[in-house]
Amino acid sequence: MAGAKLIAQGIERRRAIMRFVKSYIKRNGYAPSVGEIAEAVDLSSKTAVRHHLAILVEEGELAVTPGRYRSLRVVSKGASKKADSKK
């Protein structure tokens, strides 16, 4: 049961990250830094934030341009479904 609790905590953490990223971009016009995300969702490790961001990218929730600072983009569900249907 401890594994299920950890999975649920990870899912909720990623939801919090998504809420923060969306609101930050809407408010500022650009993506937050990893440090700003860590502070906003109460994570002390930037590595943990990067781990959650990698999962969100893999799940198609976010996109990132490698090597570019503040390059996170929220991927719209409609756009990813259209891309899948073209394959």
Side-chain angles (χ1 to χ4, degrees):
M1 287 298 175
K5 184 177 180 180
L6 286 175
I7 290 170
Q9 288 173 342
I11 290 169
E12 183 52 40
R13 185 73 70 176
R14 286 188 288 282
R15 285 182 184 148
I17 289 170
M18 283 300 297
R19 283 190 301 268
F20 176 71
V21 169
K22 286 177 182 179
S23 69
Y24 190 98
I25 292 172
K26 185 176 182 177
R27 187 174 57 251
N28 297 291
Y30 55 89
S33 68
V34 172
E36 289 167 332
I37 296 169
E39 185 177 323
V41 299
D42 201 29
L43 280 171
S44 59
S45 166
K46 290 181 185 178
T47 301
V49 172
R50 287 185 193 99
H51 170 75
H52 287 294
L53 291 174
I55 291 170
L56 289 165
V57 168
E58 185 177 305
E59 291 175 345
E61 298 287 331
L62 292 174
V64 65
T65 303
R68 289 204 51 209
Y69 186 65
R70 295 182 184 258
S71 68
L72 284 174
R73 295 179 314 281
V74 177
V75 177
S76 73
K77 293 293 185 180
S80 62
K81 287 181 183 176
K82 287 178 188 173
D84 290 341
S85 68
K86 290 182 181 180
K87 290 182 181 178

